[in-house]
Amino acid sequence: MPKVSDEYKLNRRQQIIDAAYRCFVRNGFHETSMRDIYEETQLSPGAVYNYFRSKEEIIEGSFQFDYERSRELFKSARHSDDPLKALEELLNFLFTGLEDAARLQAPRINVQAWGQALINRRFQETMNQLFDVYLDDAAHIIGRAQERGEVDANLDSRAVARSILSLYFGLELQLALDPEVNVRNYMTVVKAILRGSFRQDSEKGQEA
Amino acid sequence: MPKVSDEYKLNRRQQIIDAAYRCFVRNGFHETSMRDIYEETQLSPGAVYNYFRSKEEIIEGSFQFDYERSRELFKSARHSDDPLKALEELLNFLFTGLEDAARLQAPRINVQAWGQALINRRFQETMNQLFDVYLDDAAHIIGRAQERGEVDANLDSRAVARSILSLYFGLELQLALDPEVNVRNYMTVVKAILRGSFRQDSEKGQEA
Amino acid sequence: MPKVSDEYKLNRRQQIIDAAYRCFVRNGFHETSMRDIYEETQLSPGAVYNYFRSKEEIIEGSFQFDYERSRELFKSARHSDDPLKALEELLNFLFTGLEDAARLQAPRINVQAWGQALINRRFQETMNQLFDVYLDDAAHIIGRAQERGEVDANLDSRAVARSILSLYFGLELQLALDPEVNVRNYMTVVKAILRGSFRQDSEKGQEA
Amino acid sequence: MPKVSDEYKLNRRQQIIDAAYRCFVRNGFHETSMRDIYEETQLSPGAVYNYFRSKEEIIEGSFQFDYERSRELFKSARHSDDPLKALEELLNFLFTGLEDAARLQAPRINVQAWGQALINRRFQETMNQLFDVYLDDAAHIIGRAQERGEVDANLDSRAVARSILSLYFGLELQLALDPEVNVRNYMTVVKAILRGSFRQDSEKGQEA
DNA sequence: TATGAATGAGTATTCATTCAT
DNA sequence: CATGAATGAATACTCATTCAT
């Protein structure tokens, strides 16, 4: 086979990642052998190794957050006039994305990736970077909401950011174990928390 | 060699689990070989296999939620006069437990266990059972709070329960990646959410 | 299988080396696969790896010069009253050893080892050490013979030592390619060289 | 692409051999992959295979004694009036050639080729042929010297020839391991052996 | 019960070679 | 002639598990 277009190569690469993805969803990273992958790909072992240097590289290739898009949204939320509203819109985007991802069983991959991140240096760094960026942005947004008197100023803004992250990743975990989880209802709850309408006024009235 | 007391056997069993636990924290389930385990145990391979039928059994043995105690607390919370208060106390207990567990690096084990649950039938069943029980109890408590007009009745009680579960497991994930996470501050945020004091009145005043 | 005597283990080790030796003689280091070795051993792959950490270790184990014995002889030759006679006896021993070794096809292994020494650091060091020791000793012996007026003092003693080494290794090479080479006749020539009786007086008489 | 001149093809062929030679000197035949070779050549795998049918053919191509020239010299030495003198000149030529070859690290290739000859039929035949021709010629020359009373007639002429071959190949081995070996000094020793001046008269005088 | 030597299916990866373009 | 993607048999080595002592 002669020289081949970059597109051809990217397609092949994607083909391998897709095949690996299906294997990983079925059997996990460790129960999936290279054999499984290249049989699923309908390629020869050598062909797979033309596109990836190792199994680990394939694993890394198989989970890709839409990092760019969400980072962008976080950034713009930082400068919004109404930080909580921007945060809500952002979460709306993220949770909707999760709903789609769940249909592709991405949570199954990602939950395994968390475990991998505890073992593998490169994974860990990627994961930490991701978390830190999100935490920083979210904490900043919360901080601004606190300045505006919209969020209890006594709360640690980073802790609030962590709780929001938990609401996201906790849902991802639950979706991994059960893809039928009703994401819409869950989102409604998250919004209620952000809006302060989770707890009813009745009691507050009593307290007042 | 003569028959040996049950206590002796239990001790040996625990000794193996402890050794395995240390290995798993260090290197994860899959990067830990049986060799690693029996070297850490100072036992022979055959000896280990006298107490566990397989590596998988050891893995299963190595993560044990304090299932009994928390179930009990959930049960009693179900019948409390002040469900939200009972829930808060319950979460207080669970989060404090997590703080302790983090010192033993248990979250590192549990996060891996989530990944394992996606692959391994038995793990999955255990995990689902656990989740379902917690979800059922928490949803029931929330339902009662809704009946009492303390929580927005429009929210799906199970979705609320899921969000609470997320706040717990999301923290566990963050602790696995970074054991220095400030659990106290996080708990304060969770309480603020439950009490409805997360969002400030200022804006609500405007709405009124 | 329980704990086993050291003798047992040494025997197994030797059994593996012997099997590998036969394979190497047949097919060389590189054309011999681990599979060949453990099939020749009638052992399982794992069993072989209980005794050797790698194929390379087996290769190293498979060629063992009688280093100790010959070193000893070299040493004592250094202090002999009649250095050339001692050297001759020494060579007698070495060549006879080679004759025996040739029956076991050892030269085939050693010639390959020379090639390996050019590639592999550890081999090279071993080989160089061996050569240096022999060269030093032989050069010293020649030096003493020169002092006694028995060898042309204009010759570089180390170069003489090198030529003696060549007579040895050159024979080994020839034996590797053809085990039927007549070692006795060859030894006679070497002795004639050492004794100066290789070249006939006839011509010298003419010169006188 | 159009048909191409023979010169072009020969150049390409030589280019590949040169590249392979460099690789073999560095890493040996077996640690050198075809990949190494065609990367060193700056050619594609397919291109290399247009000029050589296999890796083995490249290996064969990479070591080429100046067979023709030395055969010629041997032949003429056979018919010389002064056989020993002719032999000395011949060796002079061969050793000088070795000195040059050592600068190109040819001994490193040849020592490996000896090992290869033990494994590979074609190599073995080539090598044996070479040896036999040399041995036959050298033995014949020695025989003539014996007839002329210049060499001890009791020595087996073929054994003498073998010892001379050893002096040559033994030096090659030593040069492979250490290219700094002083070839000039070594040649002086070889000449002294041929001339019978290696051993001093002093002792002989005593014997007389 | 404890031992640890032995098992052998399984692993990721390599690499000489081919052939469609 | 040149390209280089594809092939796939072969490789060294691992590791959960067994079982004779």
Side-chain angles (χ1 to χ4, degrees):
Chain A
M1 226 169 261
K3 188 148 183 74
V4 130
S5 70
D6 282 358
E7 196 193 345
Y8 175 94
K9 288 174 83 169
L10 275 170
N11 281 343
R12 271 267 180 282
R13 212 187 130 89
Q14 194 57 46
Q15 171 188 352
I16 294 165
I17 286 182
D18 291 347
Y21 189 95
R22 289 192 296 275
C23 292
F24 293 155
V25 164
R26 264 203 304 275
N27 295 324
F29 297 151
H30 300 286
E31 285 8 282
T32 296
S33 69
M34 285 303 291
R35 193 168 204 265
D36 294 333
I37 292 174
Y38 56 73
E39 279 181 357
E40 178 85 22
T41 327
Q42 307 262 46
L43 250 42
S44 64
V48 172
Y49 278 90
N50 272 342
Y51 296 91
F52 295 89
R53 275 209 288 277
S54 65
K55 183 181 175 183
E56 199 156 74
E57 242 184 59
I58 299 179
I59 294 178
E60 282 174 29
S62 74
F63 66 97
Q64 293 299 344
F65 306 92
D66 189 354
Y67 187 68
E68 299 308 320
R69 180 81 184 106
S70 57
R71 269 303 330 256
E72 214 175 277
L73 284 164
F74 264 112
K75 279 272 174 280
S76 72
R78 276 181 91 127
H79 305 104
S80 163
D81 285 344
D82 189 343
L84 280 187
K85 185 151 173 274
L87 183 60
E88 195 180 309
E89 278 166 12
L90 173 56
L91 289 176
N92 204 58
F93 168 77
L94 290 175
F95 281 109
T96 308
L98 204 48
E99 200 178 12
D100 295 339
R103 276 193 283 274
L104 306 170
Q105 301 189 281
R108 288 177 68 90
I109 301 279
N110 289 335
V111 168
Q112 290 178 66
W114 301 342
Q116 202 62 11
L118 300 175
I119 296 320
N120 179 303
R121 221 160 221 285
R122 291 186 44 152
F123 272 61
Q124 183 161 31
E125 275 161 21
T126 307
M127 196 72 73
N128 271 332
Q129 234 175 343
L130 195 73
F131 271 42
D132 281 346
V133 168
Y134 284 3
L135 276 178
D136 286 346
D137 282 337
H140 183 258
I141 293 165
I142 296 296
R144 287 192 53 229
Q146 287 175 319
E147 283 163 17
R148 292 160 57 108
E150 293 169 10
V151 164
D152 182 350
N154 294 318
L155 298 177
D156 178 64
S157 66
R158 203 166 176 84
V160 176
R162 294 207 112 101
S163 72
I164 293 169
L165 219 61
S166 286
L167 287 168
Y168 181 80
F169 287 114
L171 175 59
E172 184 151 38
L173 172 59
Q174 293 179 61
L175 278 166
L177 288 163
D178 174 11
E180 304 300 322
V181 170
N182 189 318
V183 176
R184 295 286 144 180
N185 287 349
Y186 187 95
M187 282 167 73
T188 307
V189 174
V190 172
K191 276 177 199 160
I193 290 172
L194 283 180
R195 289 181 187 162
S197 64
F198 166 75
R199 186 72 184 245
Q200 290 301 72
D201 293 310
S202 70
E203 198 176 61
K204 288 192 181 172
Q206 289 172 359
E207 278 173 0
Chain B
M1 250 169 232
K3 197 168 169 59
V4 133
S5 73
D6 282 359
E7 197 193 344
Y8 176 90
K9 288 173 79 170
L10 274 169
N11 280 343
R12 272 264 180 281
R13 218 186 125 87
Q14 193 57 44
Q15 172 189 352
I16 293 166
I17 285 182
D18 290 347
Y21 188 95
R22 289 192 297 273
C23 293
F24 293 155
V25 164
R26 263 202 305 274
N27 297 323
F29 297 152
H30 300 286
E31 294 357 292
T32 296
S33 67
M34 285 301 288
R35 195 168 203 265
D36 293 333
I37 293 174
Y38 58 73
E39 278 181 359
E40 179 87 22
T41 330
Q42 311 260 41
L43 252 43
S44 65
V48 171
Y49 276 87
N50 274 335
Y51 297 93
F52 294 89
R53 276 209 292 275
S54 67
K55 185 183 174 182
E56 200 154 77
E57 245 186 55
I58 298 179
I59 294 178
E60 284 173 27
S62 74
F63 65 98
Q64 294 298 346
F65 305 93
D66 190 353
Y67 187 69
E68 299 307 322
R69 181 81 183 107
S70 57
R71 271 298 337 251
E72 214 174 278
L73 283 163
F74 265 111
K75 281 271 173 283
S76 72
R78 277 179 91 125
H79 306 103
S80 163
D81 285 344
D82 189 342
L84 281 187
K85 185 151 173 274
L87 183 60
E88 194 180 312
E89 278 167 11
L90 174 54
L91 288 176
N92 205 58
F93 168 78
L94 290 174
F95 280 110
T96 307
L98 204 47
E99 201 178 14
D100 295 340
R103 276 194 282 274
L104 305 171
Q105 302 188 280
R108 288 178 68 90
I109 300 280
N110 289 335
V111 169
Q112 290 179 63
W114 302 341
Q116 201 63 11
L118 300 174
I119 296 321
N120 178 301
R121 220 161 223 285
R122 291 188 43 159
F123 271 63
Q124 184 161 28
E125 277 162 19
T126 308
M127 195 73 72
N128 271 333
Q129 229 176 348
L130 196 73
F131 271 42
D132 282 345
V133 168
Y134 283 3
L135 276 177
D136 286 346
D137 282 338
H140 184 259
I141 293 165
I142 295 297
R144 287 193 52 230
Q146 286 175 319
E147 285 163 15
R148 289 161 58 110
E150 293 169 9
V151 164
D152 182 352
N154 294 317
L155 299 176
D156 178 65
S157 66
R158 204 167 174 83
V160 175
R162 294 207 111 101
S163 73
I164 292 169
L165 219 60
S166 286
L167 288 168
Y168 181 80
F169 286 115
L171 176 58
E172 184 150 39
L173 171 59
Q174 293 180 62
L175 279 167
L177 287 163
D178 175 9
E180 304 300 321
V181 170
N182 189 320
V183 176
R184 295 285 143 181
N185 286 350
Y186 187 95
M187 282 168 72
T188 307
V189 174
V190 172
K191 276 177 197 159
I193 289 173
L194 283 180
R195 288 180 187 162
S197 63
F198 166 75
R199 185 70 184 246
Q200 290 301 73
D201 291 313
S202 70
E203 199 177 60
K204 290 192 181 174
Q206 290 170 356
E207 280 174 359
Chain C
M1 226 171 261
K3 189 154 182 65
V4 128
S5 70
D6 282 359
E7 197 194 344
Y8 176 94
K9 289 174 83 168
L10 276 170
N11 281 343
R12 271 267 180 283
R13 211 187 132 88
Q14 194 56 47
Q15 172 189 351
I16 294 166
I17 286 181
D18 291 347
Y21 189 95
R22 289 191 298 273
C23 293
F24 294 155
V25 163
R26 263 202 305 273
N27 297 324
F29 297 152
H30 301 287
E31 281 17 274
T32 297
S33 68
M34 285 303 292
R35 193 167 203 267
D36 293 333
I37 293 175
Y38 55 74
E39 278 180 358
E40 178 86 22
T41 328
Q42 310 260 43
L43 251 42
S44 64
V48 172
Y49 279 91
N50 273 341
Y51 295 92
F52 296 90
R53 275 208 287 274
S54 66
K55 184 182 174 183
E56 199 157 76
E57 238 184 63
I58 298 179
I59 293 178
E60 283 174 29
S62 74
F63 67 96
Q64 294 298 343
F65 305 92
D66 190 354
Y67 186 69
E68 299 307 320
R69 181 82 183 105
S70 58
R71 271 295 340 247
E72 214 175 275
L73 283 163
F74 264 110
K75 279 271 173 283
S76 72
R78 278 180 90 125
H79 306 103
S80 163
D81 284 345
D82 189 343
L84 281 187
K85 185 153 173 273
L87 183 59
E88 193 181 311
E89 279 166 10
L90 173 55
L91 289 176
N92 205 58
F93 168 79
L94 289 175
F95 281 109
T96 309
L98 205 47
E99 200 177 11
D100 296 339
R103 275 193 286 274
L104 306 170
Q105 301 187 279
R108 289 177 68 92
I109 301 279
N110 289 334
V111 169
Q112 291 179 63
W114 300 341
Q116 201 63 10
L118 300 175
I119 296 320
N120 179 303
R121 221 158 223 285
R122 291 187 44 154
F123 272 62
Q124 183 161 31
E125 276 163 19
T126 307
M127 196 71 74
N128 271 333
Q129 232 176 347
L130 196 73
F131 271 43
D132 282 346
V133 167
Y134 284 3
L135 275 177
D136 286 346
D137 283 337
H140 184 259
I141 293 164
I142 295 297
R144 288 191 53 227
Q146 287 175 317
E147 283 164 17
R148 292 160 56 109
E150 294 169 9
V151 164
D152 182 352
N154 295 317
L155 299 176
D156 177 64
S157 65
R158 203 166 176 87
V160 176
R162 292 208 112 101
S163 72
I164 293 169
L165 220 59
S166 286
L167 288 168
Y168 181 80
F169 286 115
L171 175 58
E172 184 151 38
L173 171 59
Q174 294 179 62
L175 279 166
L177 288 163
D178 174 10
E180 303 300 323
V181 170
N182 189 319
V183 176
R184 295 286 144 180
N185 286 350
Y186 187 95
M187 282 167 73
T188 308
V189 174
V190 173
K191 275 177 199 159
I193 290 172
L194 282 181
R195 288 179 188 161
S197 64
F198 167 76
R199 187 71 183 246
Q200 289 302 72
D201 291 311
S202 71
E203 197 178 60
K204 289 192 181 173
Q206 289 171 353
E207 280 172 358
Chain D
M1 255 171 227
K3 196 166 168 60
V4 133
S5 72
D6 283 359
E7 196 193 344
Y8 176 91
K9 288 173 79 170
L10 274 170
N11 280 343
R12 274 264 181 282
R13 216 186 128 87
Q14 194 56 45
Q15 172 189 352
I16 293 165
I17 286 183
D18 291 346
Y21 189 95
R22 290 193 295 274
C23 292
F24 294 155
V25 164
R26 264 202 304 274
N27 295 325
F29 298 152
H30 301 286
E31 302 343 303
T32 296
S33 66
M34 285 302 288
R35 194 168 205 265
D36 293 332
I37 292 174
Y38 57 74
E39 278 181 358
E40 179 87 23
T41 329
Q42 311 259 43
L43 252 44
S44 65
V48 171
Y49 277 87
N50 274 336
Y51 298 93
F52 294 90
R53 276 209 291 275
S54 66
K55 184 182 175 184
E56 201 153 75
E57 245 186 54
I58 299 179
I59 294 178
E60 283 172 29
S62 75
F63 66 99
Q64 294 298 345
F65 306 93
D66 189 354
Y67 187 69
E68 300 308 322
R69 179 84 182 105
S70 57
R71 274 291 342 246
E72 213 174 277
L73 283 163
F74 264 112
K75 280 272 174 281
S76 72
R78 277 180 91 126
H79 306 103
S80 164
D81 285 344
D82 188 345
L84 280 187
K85 186 152 171 271
L87 183 60
E88 194 181 309
E89 280 166 9
L90 173 55
L91 289 176
N92 204 58
F93 168 78
L94 290 174
F95 281 110
T96 308
L98 205 47
E99 201 177 12
D100 296 339
R103 276 193 283 273
L104 305 170
Q105 301 189 280
R108 288 178 68 91
I109 301 279
N110 290 334
V111 168
Q112 290 178 63
W114 302 342
Q116 202 62 11
L118 301 174
I119 296 322
N120 178 302
R121 222 162 222 283
R122 292 187 41 157
F123 271 61
Q124 185 160 30
E125 276 161 20
T126 308
M127 194 72 74
N128 271 334
Q129 231 176 346
L130 195 73
F131 271 42
D132 280 347
V133 168
Y134 283 3
L135 276 177
D136 285 346
D137 282 338
H140 183 259
I141 293 165
I142 295 296
R144 287 192 53 230
Q146 286 175 317
E147 282 163 17
R148 293 160 55 107
E150 292 169 9
V151 164
D152 182 351
N154 295 316
L155 298 176
D156 178 65
S157 66
R158 204 168 174 84
V160 175
R162 294 207 112 102
S163 72
I164 292 168
L165 219 61
S166 287
L167 287 168
Y168 182 80
F169 287 114
L171 176 59
E172 184 151 39
L173 171 59
Q174 293 181 61
L175 279 167
L177 288 164
D178 174 10
E180 304 300 321
V181 170
N182 189 318
V183 176
R184 295 285 144 177
N185 287 349
Y186 187 95
M187 282 167 73
T188 308
V189 173
V190 173
K191 275 175 199 160
I193 290 172
L194 283 180
R195 290 178 186 163
S197 65
F198 166 76
R199 185 68 183 248
Q200 291 301 72
D201 293 309
S202 70
E203 198 176 62
K204 290 189 181 176
Q206 291 170 354
E207 280 172 359

